[in-house]
């Protein structure tokens, strides 16, 4: 989605760009624009419609589902992708998943879930499929000019003016690629995990997997079964949690402790004790000792990695130091000779149609500065939905974020004084965190503890409800 270099276009360095008088603009009145028809976009459309708003949703692909639709170019899912949060904590609160589904559904089931969600609430009629957003520009009166075109750049651009905008374009589609000395000279195959789709890509090869997130661990497990050898490179030690504890999904056990308001230090002790009993001391396998407490990094839920490490099918190694044409040198001085390197190094958020300053990204790092990970100062009719990395399922959070925004928009018409008070609260709360102390890395930019975050959303909704009485 590149912007035009036409000198008559708006200045790309400005955040409040005046529109050229000769550009036709279709005024959509009080209609709200939603960008993206994945999980967050669909629930935004549904909740805005229920609040009485007209909605135009733009989706660059030809179907719903976003990241969970494996047919989409930007989808990060691979053949064996399953949920890592259990079904009850992942489903939308007003649209449960079938009771006969497994605790951790497959990605194909998730896609069918979103398709049924869209059909049940009759959402497809509000979605412009095969349409990408080129620019989103704030204009006078807290309104927004949204310029779109057919995906791929075909056809003319069209600009429409909206009362509000919801950004729901996801944050797991723009690969974060590391830089290493000599990588350009390496003659082996190199790929990011976003390009990994099937274990056949690993079959019979010597594979190095770089990264210890949930995706990196999944790929290392599949390489253990398919590759001739697998090295798994991590920068630090991590806590690898089993998916089941005491016969129940681990996140359900954790949520019970949260519901009982068990203090963090006690939960950390219980978690550590449980891992010692179920997983044991991983340093005896050559894996590094964690340099942090449990809950200070995003949870890694994988019951198989330790199994394959223990069976010698995965060799743990430290971080990569450099590449040369035929080998990889590690930080401990060892050299290995993989044929394929898979960088499971995560993703960075991208809002390529919007100037970063609008979301508070003043230093150009790409990290928005938001309240509740959803609202930015100075733009009360703009919201980001789904820009969170919770320790449980994300769909309930996206649901309540969009409910909050819909009620805020309603309040702007009925009680503008209360809406203004909400905007002041946004300015005061920018950058608040809703999790325990976590490592300072791009991976944890949007980390939230789901219980703390949902309580914060509940308080915000309560304050808005008070304003309507």
């Amino acid at each position: 989605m590149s912007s035009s270099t036409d000198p008559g276009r708006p200045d790309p360095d400005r955040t409040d760009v005046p529109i050229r008088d000769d550009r036709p603009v279709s005024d959509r009145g009080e209609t709200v624009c939603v960008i993206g028809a994945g999980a967050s976009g669909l629930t935004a459309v549904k909740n805005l419609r229920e609040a009485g708003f007209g909605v135009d949703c733009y989706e660059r692909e030809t179907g719903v589902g976003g990241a969970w639709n494996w047919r989409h170019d930007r989808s990060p899912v691979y053949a064996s992708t399953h949920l890592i949060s259990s079904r009850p904590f992942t489903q939308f609160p007003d649209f449960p998943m079938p009771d006969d589904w497994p605790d951790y559904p497959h990605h194909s089931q998730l896609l069918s879930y979103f398709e049924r969600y869209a059909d049940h609430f009759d959402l497809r009629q509000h979605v412009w499929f095969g349409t990408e957003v080129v620019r989103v520009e704030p204009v006078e009166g807290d309104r927004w000019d949204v310029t779109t075109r057919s995906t791929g750049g075909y056809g003319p651009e069209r600009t429409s003016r909206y009362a509000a905008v919801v950004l729901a374009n996801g944050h797991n589609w723009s690969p974060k690629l590391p830089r290493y000395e000599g990588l350009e000279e390496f003659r082996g195959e190199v790929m990011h995990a976003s390009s990994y789709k099937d274990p056949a890509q690993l079959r019979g090869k010597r594979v190095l997997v770089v990264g210890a997130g949930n995706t990196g661990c999944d790929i290392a497990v599949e390489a253990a079964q398919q590759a001739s050898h697998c090295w798994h490179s991590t920068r630090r030690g991590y806590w690898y949690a089993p998916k089941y504890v005491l016969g129940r999904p681990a996140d359900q056990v954790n949520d019970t402790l949260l519901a009982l308001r068990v203090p963090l230090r006690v939960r950390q002790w219980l978690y550590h004790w449980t891992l010692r009993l179920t997983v044991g001391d991983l340093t005896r396998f050559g894996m590094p000792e964690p340099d942090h407490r449990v809950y200070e990094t995003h949870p890694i839920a994988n019951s198989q990695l330790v199994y394959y490490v223990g069976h010698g099918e995965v060799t743990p190694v430290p971080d990569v130091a450099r590449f040369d044409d035929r080998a990889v040198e590690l930080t401990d001085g060892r050299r290995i000779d993989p044929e394929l390197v898979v960088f499971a190094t995560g993703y960075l958020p991208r809002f390529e149609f919007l100037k970063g300053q609008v979301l508070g990204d003043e230093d150009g790092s790409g990290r928005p500065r938001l309240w509740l990970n959803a609202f930015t100062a100075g733009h009360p009719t703009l919201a980001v939905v789904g820009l969170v990395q919770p320790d449980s399922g994300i769909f309930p959070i996206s649901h309540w974020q969009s409910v909050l925004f819909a009620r805020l928009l309603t309040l702007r018409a009925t009680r503008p004084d209360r809406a203004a008070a909400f905007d002041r609260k946004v300015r005061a709360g920018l950058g608040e965190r809703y999790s325990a102390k976590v490592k300072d890395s791009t991976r944890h930019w949007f980390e939230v503890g789901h219980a703390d975050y949902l309580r914060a959303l509940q308080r915000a909704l309560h304050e808005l409800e008070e304003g309507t009485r």
Side-chain angles (χ1 to χ4, degrees):
M1 299 186 195
S2 59
S3 59
S4 173
T5 56
D6 181 348
R9 294 288 185 185
D11 180 354
D13 293 326
R14 293 187 54 185
T15 62
D16 196 343
V17 184
I19 302 302
R20 280 175 47 182
D21 293 336
D22 60 345
R23 183 199 300 179
V25 177
S26 173
D27 195 331
R28 299 289 291 137
E30 296 306 304
T31 300
V32 179
C33 171
V34 175
I35 301 174
S40 297
L42 288 175
T43 195
V45 173
K46 176 255 181 190
N47 286 310
L48 286 164
R49 288 294 300 148
E50 288 186 349
F53 292 97
V55 179
D56 289 342
C57 176
Y58 295 110
E59 168 55 54
R60 71 186 308 275
E61 303 287 354
T62 56
V64 301
W68 288 98
N69 192 327
W70 61 270
R71 302 180 186 91
H72 292 176
D73 290 342
R74 292 178 170 180
S75 171
V77 303
Y78 36 94
S80 63
T81 300
H82 288 73
L83 282 177
I84 60 169
S85 54
S86 66
R87 173 169 47 86
F89 289 96
T90 306
Q91 62 197 8
F92 291 119
D94 54 357
F95 194 76
M97 295 181 187
D99 290 337
D100 61 353
W101 276 17
D103 292 328
Y104 298 100
H106 186 256
H107 71 80
S108 60
Q109 294 174 299
L110 265 293
L111 177 56
S112 71
Y113 175 70
F114 296 131
E115 290 173 337
R116 290 204 296 268
Y117 182 88
D119 292 338
H120 180 79
F121 293 108
D122 197 19
L123 304 180
R124 296 180 195 266
Q125 64 173 313
H126 306 291
V127 183
W128 294 69
F129 291 107
T131 305
E132 63 183 0
V133 174
V134 181
R135 286 181 301 278
V136 175
E137 304 161 325
V139 294
E140 187 176 358
D142 291 327
R143 296 173 67 81
W144 300 86
D145 281 0
V146 178
T147 302
T148 60
R149 68 185 177 198
S150 296
T151 300
Y154 302 104
E157 294 182 356
R158 173 182 175 180
T159 300
S160 302
R161 185 161 294 171
Y162 290 97
V165 171
V166 173
L167 308 181
N169 59 314
H171 61 279
N172 286 324
W173 59 267
S174 180
K176 176 188 173 185
L177 291 167
R179 297 179 180 178
Y180 290 107
E181 178 185 342
L183 181 58
E184 297 79 7
E185 286 74 41
F186 181 62
R187 296 185 181 181
E189 183 182 357
V190 176
M191 64 187 296
H192 187 270
S194 58
S195 299
Y196 175 74
K197 298 301 176 185
D198 189 90
Q201 294 170 267
L202 311 172
R203 192 165 298 152
K205 298 178 180 178
R206 299 186 303 276
V207 177
L208 169 63
V209 180
V210 180
N214 285 288
T215 298
C217 292
D218 281 352
I219 296 175
V221 165
E222 297 196 346
Q225 302 169 66
Q226 300 291 335
S228 62
H229 191 82
C230 174
W231 296 275
H232 188 205
S233 169
T234 61
R235 289 180 298 175
R236 60 171 64 94
Y238 290 93
W239 303 99
Y240 299 94
K243 281 195 165 183
Y244 287 92
V245 175
L246 303 176
R248 295 176 56 198
D251 61 347
Q252 296 181 24
V253 176
N254 181 54
D255 200 73
T256 300
L257 298 177
L258 290 171
L260 295 173
R261 301 293 182 99
V262 175
L264 173 62
R265 285 301 176 91
V266 176
R267 286 190 292 116
Q268 286 176 325
W269 181 85
L270 288 171
Y271 194 133
H272 188 270
W273 178 79
T274 301
L275 290 181
R276 286 289 183 181
L277 285 178
T278 57
V279 179
D281 181 6
L282 297 183
T283 59
R284 68 190 184 93
F285 296 120
M287 302 173 77
E289 184 176 358
D291 60 355
H292 55 277
R293 294 175 179 269
V294 294
Y295 298 120
E296 291 184 357
T297 60
H298 188 70
I300 299 172
N302 193 299
S303 300
Q304 296 179 290
L305 180 67
V306 176
Y307 173 89
Y308 283 105
V309 170
H311 284 70
E313 303 296 336
V314 174
T315 302
V317 295
D319 198 7
V320 172
R322 62 187 57 82
F323 286 76
D324 60 32
D325 60 343
R326 298 184 183 278
V328 177
E329 183 178 330
L330 306 172
T331 53
D332 63 359
R334 278 184 287 172
R335 291 172 62 82
I336 57 177
D337 59 342
E339 298 170 90
L340 169 64
V341 178
V342 182
F343 287 121
T345 46
Y347 300 84
L348 291 173
R350 285 187 65 191
F351 303 94
E352 51 197 349
F353 43 74
L354 184 69
K355 294 303 174 188
Q357 297 94 323
V358 173
L359 295 177
D361 176 22
E362 299 294 344
D363 60 3
S365 66
R367 181 179 187 176
R369 191 163 181 263
L370 307 170
W371 182 59
L372 287 173
N373 286 46
F375 302 99
T376 185
H379 296 288
T381 54
L382 176 69
V384 186
V385 172
L387 191 63
V388 289
Q389 189 83 2
D391 57 355
S392 188
I394 189 175
F395 309 151
I397 289 177
S398 295
H399 169 87
W400 290 113
Q401 284 177 327
S402 57
V403 167
L404 176 60
F405 188 53
R407 293 185 184 175
L408 173 62
L409 294 180
T410 300
L411 208 61
R412 283 177 55 82
T414 59
R415 289 290 304 273
D417 58 321
R418 296 298 302 173
F422 185 90
D423 188 48
R424 290 193 293 272
K425 191 172 183 66
V426 170
R427 294 175 185 272
L430 290 175
E432 280 184 0
R433 298 300 299 262
Y434 308 94
S435 66
K437 175 186 175 183
V438 293
K439 285 289 182 181
D440 184 18
S441 68
T442 57
R443 184 185 181 205
H444 298 101
W445 276 358
F446 312 116
E447 189 77 16
V448 299
H450 75 284
D452 290 340
Y453 184 84
L454 287 172
R455 289 189 191 106
L457 278 179
Q458 185 180 36
R459 288 193 296 270
L461 279 165
H462 178 73
E463 291 173 7
L464 284 183
E465 290 292 345
E466 288 294 315
T468 62
R469 297 173 186 172

